[in-house]
Amino acid sequence: MSCSGNCSSCGSDCQKQPLRHPNITGAILGQFMMEMAMRSQKNAAGEITEDVMDDMDRKTMNWLGATFSGKNAQFEIDPQWYPVGVAGNLRIKLGTELAQAAGGKLPEDNATLIYSAMAVFMAEVYDTLAMVTKKGVEPLGEVPAPEMLALLKRWTEMLVGYELQWRDPAQKTEDTEKENTGNK
C-alpha cells in the first residue's frame, strides 16, 4: 500500500519538513524570536519572574540544540549536514564567540558546540531586542525591525550553510512599482 500523504500517525517520513531548507529554519528561528520578545515584555511588565523566564529559555535552548544537532524526529535531516556540517560552519563563523560562551575553549563535541551556538543566538536575540526597544521601535511588529531581520537572516544562513537573498518586506520591488505606475 502506498502512502497517500495522510499519515500523521504512521511514523513515516513523508510529512517531515526538511530542516536545512531556509524557509523551515527561518520559520523556527523567527518563531522563537517572537516568543523570546513576548517573554521579555512579560518579564519587564512583571507578569513572569526571572526564574520562569530562565526555565523557558533553557527549554528553548535545549529544543534548538537538539533540533540543529539532528536529534529532532519532527524534521527531515540531511545526515551530511547535521550535526557535522553545521558544527563546522558554526566553528568557522562563530569560533571566538563560541569559545567565550563555553568558558574560553571551543567545544570539541559537535552537539555541545551546537548547544553553545544556540545560547549565543538567544543572547544576541535578547541584546537586539533591548537595543531596538531602547530606540522606541517595535521589534517584531507588523513590519519587523531591520535589526531583527538581519539577525534572523544571519542565523538562518549559518544553520543552513549558504547565503540567502532576502529582500526587506517594507520595501517595494522595482517591478511592483513599475506595475503600479504602468496601470495608471
Side-chain angles (χ1 to χ4, degrees):
M1 186 158 125
S2 67
C3 179
S4 65
N6 297 319
C7 51
S8 60
S9 64
C10 78
S12 77
D13 290 344
C14 65
Q15 288 189 335
K16 292 183 180 182
Q17 296 292 317
L19 183 59
R20 194 168 180 196
H21 192 285
N23 289 348
I24 304 304
T25 294
I28 291 168
L29 296 178
Q31 179 64 39
F32 280 107
M33 289 170 75
M34 286 191 302
E35 290 175 11
M36 292 169 68
M38 290 187 318
R39 275 198 295 273
S40 183
Q41 289 173 347
K42 286 181 179 182
N43 180 258
E47 295 175 27
I48 61 172
T49 65
E50 287 289 329
D51 288 341
V52 169
M53 190 165 162
D54 289 345
D55 185 52
M56 295 170 96
D57 285 345
R58 192 171 14 273
K59 288 177 182 174
T60 296
M61 188 188 72
N62 286 333
W63 190 92
L64 289 169
T67 298
F68 292 107
S69 293
K71 297 175 184 163
N72 187 330
Q74 292 178 288
F75 299 99
E76 177 187 316
I77 302 299
D78 175 351
Q80 301 294 317
W81 185 247
Y82 299 102
V84 177
V86 72
N89 197 43
L90 291 167
R91 274 186 188 91
I92 292 167
K93 307 272 184 178
L94 295 175
T96 304
E97 292 169 80
L98 292 174
Q100 289 173 348
K105 185 178 179 199
L106 194 62
E108 293 178 24
D109 172 70
N110 290 330
T112 303
L113 183 125
I114 292 167
Y115 278 80
S116 295
M118 295 301 98
V120 170
F121 164 72
M122 293 177 67
E124 286 185 13
V125 170
Y126 282 128
D127 288 347
T128 305
L129 285 169
M131 177 188 65
V132 169
T133 303
K134 282 181 185 175
K135 290 180 179 179
V137 176
E138 179 64 33
L140 296 168
E142 191 172 314
V143 177
E147 296 88 345
M148 298 304 291
L149 290 174
L151 183 66
L152 176 62
K153 180 182 185 286
R154 177 174 169 255
W155 275 93
T156 300
E157 288 176 342
M158 282 192 285
L159 293 171
V160 299
Y162 52 89
E163 190 175 330
L164 305 173
Q165 298 300 317
W166 286 1
R167 68 173 184 84
D168 184 343
Q171 295 179 346
K172 291 185 177 184
T173 64
E174 288 180 26
D175 292 339
T176 304
E177 290 173 4
K178 286 179 186 176
E179 286 175 19
N180 289 342
T181 57
N183 291 334
K184 288 185 177 180

